[in-house]
Amino acid sequence: MMHEMTVPYFGRFVTCKKVKGMVIMNQIVLMGRLTRDPELRHTQNGTSVASFSLAVDRRFTPKDGGERQTDFIDVVAWQQTGEFVSKYFTKGQMAAVTGRLQIRDWTDKDGNKRKTAEVVAENVYFTESKKSRDASVGAAMPRDDYGSGYSTPVESSDFVELDMDDGDLPF
């Protein structure tokens, strides 16, 4: 018998499934740098989907003193989240992603069965100040090179950048 339940997770609530007394949860939290500019595409029915990859350092360093290893994780973001990512994020920029892990089966051009693991992003957050962003990857201005006939809304966007000094914040 399966029941859904809501549990606290990192300061917010997520819905989990409870099967035979066990809680099943598929929740991913990542923070890393984009390895390439997000690629925005549209499905045949017009749904926006952006794909990008995050370079995420592992928490530990090898015992032999070698370099910390990095994982390169594929991420897809759908609809408004995908449009937001493709508009405001660029290669090299630090981002935090919350979402779920998805394993997808597919067949390559030679007819071989393949599996791909990717994160389906529910939320993508800026994780560095505008000053450090501008210094490290150039100004994070909205991009308008979407292709596929997509045009950036001019004055109808609800997103507004605030011009303030992060040094005034109490945390």
Side-chain angles (χ1 to χ4, degrees):
M1 184 171 211
M2 183 170 55
H3 300 284
E4 286 195 355
M5 58 188 278
T6 304
V7 297
Y9 183 75
F10 285 100
R12 62 188 183 107
F13 290 91
V14 296
T15 301
C16 303
K17 296 187 187 322
K18 189 171 184 178
V19 179
K20 294 184 182 178
M22 296 180 1
V23 174
I24 299 171
M25 180 168 62
N26 182 355
Q27 186 74 31
I28 301 286
V29 179
L30 300 170
M31 189 165 81
R33 294 200 179 274
L34 275 72
T35 62
R36 58 186 164 87
D37 286 343
E39 178 185 340
L40 183 67
R41 297 178 318 244
H42 293 87
T43 64
Q44 289 180 347
N45 66 1
T47 303
S48 300
V49 58
S51 58
F52 58 100
S53 181
L54 281 182
V56 179
D57 287 338
R58 294 187 182 174
R59 294 183 102 181
F60 55 89
T61 55
K63 290 183 180 181
D64 64 4
E67 286 190 33
R68 185 180 283 186
Q69 292 184 330
T70 302
D71 294 306
F72 297 91
I73 301 170
D74 293 327
V75 181
V76 293
W78 291 87
Q79 299 175 339
Q80 292 89 352
T81 303
E83 292 175 15
F84 172 77
V85 168
S86 67
K87 185 175 179 181
Y88 292 103
F89 286 85
T90 58
K91 177 181 177 179
Q93 198 168 351
M94 184 74 77
V97 174
T98 62
R100 63 182 173 83
L101 182 64
Q102 172 177 281
I103 309 297
R104 195 167 40 90
D105 295 321
W106 56 283
T107 305
D108 68 13
K109 63 181 178 180
D110 299 325
N112 299 315
K113 301 280 185 193
R114 304 281 186 179
K115 284 189 180 225
T116 299
E118 60 194 4
V119 172
V120 178
E122 294 171 5
N123 297 293
V124 180
Y125 303 97
F126 295 108
T127 58
E128 54 190 352
S129 70
K130 186 175 182 320
K131 284 183 185 179
S132 62
R133 237 184 17 241
D134 291 350
S136 66
V137 295
M141 296 298 293
R143 295 180 11 223
D144 59 3
D145 59 344
Y146 297 111
S148 305
Y150 181 84
S151 61
T152 306
V154 180
E155 294 182 24
S156 63
S157 176
D158 293 335
F159 183 79
V160 178
E161 278 202 45
L162 300 175
D163 185 25
M164 54 188 265
D165 183 11
D166 290 348
D168 295 337
L169 297 175
F171 50 88

